[in-house]
Amino acid sequence: MTGRRPIHLVGIGGAGMSGLARLAAAAGYSVSGTDRSESPTLDALRQVGVQARAGHSAALPAETAAIVVSTAVAEDTPDLVEGRRRGLPVMHRADLLAELMRGHRGLTVAGAHGKSTTSAMLRLMLGGASACIGATIEGGSGTGAVWGDGPWFVAEADESDRSLLKLAPHATILLNVDHDHHSTYASIDEVEEVFAAHLATVPSNGLVVAGPDARAWRLAVASGRPCRLIGAGADAWGDVVDVDTGRALNLTDGRLVELPLMVPGRHNATNAACAIALADWCGVPPEVATERLRDFAGVGRRFELRGEVAGIRIVDDYAHHPEEVAATLAGARETHDGRIIAVFQPHLFSRTRALAAAFGEALAAADVAIVTDVYAAREPDDPEIDGTTVTRTIPSGTVAVHAPSLPDAAREVLARVRPGDLVLTIGAGDITTLGQELTLALQNQYGDGDSAGG
C-alpha cells in the first residue's frame, strides 16, 4: 500500500493514533478520523488540517482509501463496518507507522520498560529526527509525534500486541525483557520469541543495542547482528558508573562521559546510555549526544511534576509493572529526603493477579502505599481481584491502605499528607487525573502557597 492516499483513523483522539494522524498529515496524506467524544486533541488535529470528528460514524469521506485501526477498536465500530462494506483495506496502526518510516533510516526502541523515555532521548541526540513515541514529548504538540527534517525516524516498538513485528528498522535498542502483558503472552519464553523475531528484522550491517538485562544481552548476541551491550561485563560497550558529579558512562575505549540528567534514577541513566550507544553508531559522538540531552526534562507521565503546595510535591508516573514501580520509587528516593506517599492504581486484572506479590515488594519502598482497585482497561472484570490483592502483600514496614476509588484515594492522601512529603500517583489508567485534584485540594487547604504544575 503506497502513495499519499486519503486515510481514516478510527479512535483518532487516542495518544498513539493522534500522533500517527499528525505524522501522516505532515507527510502529505489526506487524513480524517473519529473518536468517541470531543477533546482538545481533536481541536489540535483540526489545526493541522486533519478532518477530526467526535462520534464514530459510517459517514466516511467519499475519497477514503484505507481505514487505520488499533487493536482496541471493536469490530462493530461504525467507521470500520462501513469501511469493510466498501471493501476498503484495513491497516493496523503499526502498518501505517511502518509506511511512514519508509524513506527514512528507521530506529526502534523495544523492551518491557523505558521505551518512551529512551526514544525521546535518542530523538534529541540525533537532532532533527522524526519520531513516533508513546508519550507526549517536546515539540509534539501534546503527542509523541514529530515530523523532522533529518534522515532518522525513531519509533517506539510495541510488544503488547506483537505489532513491533511489522517494523523493520535499520537498528534497534532492546532495553530489557520481562513478562508484562499476561493476556497476550503465556510465558516469558513467548516474550523472548517475539523480541528475537524483531531483532531478526535488523539487517546484517545494522546494530542491536542491549540494556543491562541478562535476557536482552542473550537475545542481542544470538541475533547475529553487530551488538553494543550496556552493563557490567567483559563484552560490554559501556557501563553506567557513579562519579562525584552524579553518573557517567564508562566506555571500554577508556572514555568517561558524564551524564548530566535532569530526570532521576539509575534506570534513566541506563536508558541514556543505550540511546548514546545507538546515536554514536548514527554518527553523533557521545560527548555531543550528552550535551544535547542536558535540558531533557522527561516525557509525559514519567515522573512528571503536577503541583507543589506548602512543601508538598505531587508527581505523576506511568509505571504499571513492578520493575517500573520499583525504579520510580528508587528515583524518588534519590531526589527526596522526606516521606513518600505512593498512590498506586493497578492496571489490568491479569497483570495484577500474576504480579501482586512483586507489586507489594516494590511498594515497600514507600512510607505509605495507597492502592486503588484495578483499572480494567481492555479486560472484563475479575471479581476475585481488587486493590487488596496487592495491599495484603505489602510488608509491614510500609503503611498499606486500600482505597477502592480515586475519590477514596484522594481522601486518604489528604488525611495523611504533611508538608515535606512527596506524593506519587502511579499507574497507567485514569489515576493521572488525581495529581491535579490533589493540588487543587491542597491549595484550598493551605492557600496557593508555592503551587506549581498543571
Side-chain angles (χ1 to χ4, degrees):
M1 303 176 71
T2 59
R4 299 295 185 253
R5 64 211 180 285
I7 58 175
H8 182 85
L9 280 69
V10 186
I12 200 169
M17 296 289 269
S18 62
L20 282 171
R22 293 182 66 88
L23 289 172
Y29 290 75
S30 174
V31 183
S32 65
T34 61
D35 205 59
R36 289 180 181 176
S37 56
E38 196 61 70
S39 69
T41 300
L42 299 191
D43 285 337
L45 288 172
R46 294 179 191 118
Q47 292 173 15
V48 295
V50 174
Q51 300 176 56
R53 292 184 291 112
H56 296 302
S57 169
L60 301 179
E63 67 274 15
T64 301
I67 304 291
V68 183
V69 300
S70 71
T71 307
V73 173
E75 282 293 324
D76 61 354
T77 305
D79 315 54
L80 180 56
V81 171
E82 173 63 12
R84 292 195 188 282
R85 188 194 67 78
R86 293 190 194 179
L88 299 177
V90 177
M91 306 171 66
H92 187 274
R93 59 177 176 79
D95 292 314
L96 177 58
L97 175 57
E99 191 170 295
L100 290 166
M101 291 176 73
R102 293 178 196 138
H104 293 81
R105 300 197 68 192
L107 308 171
T108 57
V109 179
H113 325 293
K115 295 186 292 293
S116 296
T117 297
T118 307
S119 298
M121 289 176 168
L122 179 60
R123 184 190 76 86
L124 279 180
M125 293 175 185
L126 294 176
S130 299
C132 187
I133 298 170
T136 57
I137 61 173
E138 183 181 353
S141 300
T143 72
V146 174
W147 189 258
D149 298 324
W152 304 106
F153 193 118
V154 178
E156 183 174 328
D158 183 10
E159 84 283 6
S160 68
D161 56 1
R162 294 185 168 89
S163 61
L164 80 170
L165 298 179
K166 297 177 180 289
L167 307 178
H170 289 78
T172 190
I173 297 171
L174 179 58
L175 293 166
N176 38 61
V177 180
D178 215 332
H179 194 184
D180 186 11
H181 304 283
H182 293 78
S183 60
T184 304
Y185 301 99
S187 67
I188 187 66
D189 293 337
E190 288 189 8
V191 179
E192 289 193 7
E193 288 171 5
V194 166
F195 282 131
H198 180 62
L199 300 189
T201 66
V202 174
S204 59
N205 63 348
L207 181 72
V208 173
V209 176
D213 174 274
R215 289 191 179 96
W217 274 38
R218 178 162 50 79
L219 291 176
V221 172
S223 73
R225 274 60 178 173
C227 296
R228 292 186 176 183
L229 309 177
I230 300 299
D235 296 327
W237 183 79
D239 191 19
V240 173
V241 296
D242 294 325
V243 294
D244 291 341
T245 54
R247 291 192 171 100
L249 176 58
N250 186 23
L251 300 173
T252 52
D253 64 9
R255 286 178 292 170
L256 189 68
V257 183
E258 291 197 16
L259 299 173
L261 296 177
M262 295 174 60
V263 289
R266 186 175 187 85
H267 63 294
N268 279 318
T270 57
N271 290 340
C274 290
I276 290 167
L278 184 47
D280 179 69
W281 181 81
C282 294
V284 180
E287 295 80 6
V288 175
T290 54
E291 186 59 33
R292 289 176 176 174
L293 199 61
R294 186 175 293 277
D295 295 329
F296 177 69
V299 299
R301 294 219 58 210
R302 272 64 171 185
F303 214 82
E304 182 178 1
L305 180 66
R306 289 300 174 88
E308 187 166 359
V309 181
I312 300 167
R313 295 175 66 225
I314 300 100
V315 171
D316 184 48
D317 196 273
Y318 187 70
H320 53 279
H321 183 278
E323 293 287 340
E324 297 166 351
V325 174
T328 296
L329 286 166
R333 287 293 181 197
E334 288 186 3
T335 60
H336 184 75
D337 293 329
R339 290 197 318 162
I340 295 177
I341 299 177
V343 188
F344 174 59
Q345 182 186 57
H347 187 260
L348 300 179
F349 291 103
S350 59
R351 181 184 289 132
T352 307
R353 178 186 288 275
L355 302 176
F359 278 123
E361 183 178 350
L363 289 167
D367 297 285
V368 178
I370 299 168
V371 183
T372 74
D373 284 340
V374 179
Y375 186 82
R378 54 190 174 270
E379 295 182 346
D381 287 352
D382 183 340
E384 295 182 355
I385 305 297
D386 61 17
T388 64
T389 308
V390 174
T391 55
R392 63 173 175 252
T393 73
I394 298 173
S396 59
T398 296
V399 177
V401 181
H402 175 221
S405 68
L406 292 185
D408 293 332
R411 284 190 289 272
E412 291 289 349
V413 171
L414 295 172
R416 297 167 185 276
V417 72
R418 57 182 184 244
D421 287 350
L422 169 64
V423 178
L424 285 172
T425 59
I426 303 172
D430 59 0
I431 193 171
T432 187
T433 63
L434 188 60
Q436 182 65 13
E437 294 174 14
L438 288 172
T439 300
L440 293 173
L442 289 169
Q443 287 173 352
N444 290 333
Q445 181 174 335
Y446 290 99
D448 286 346
D450 52 354
S451 61

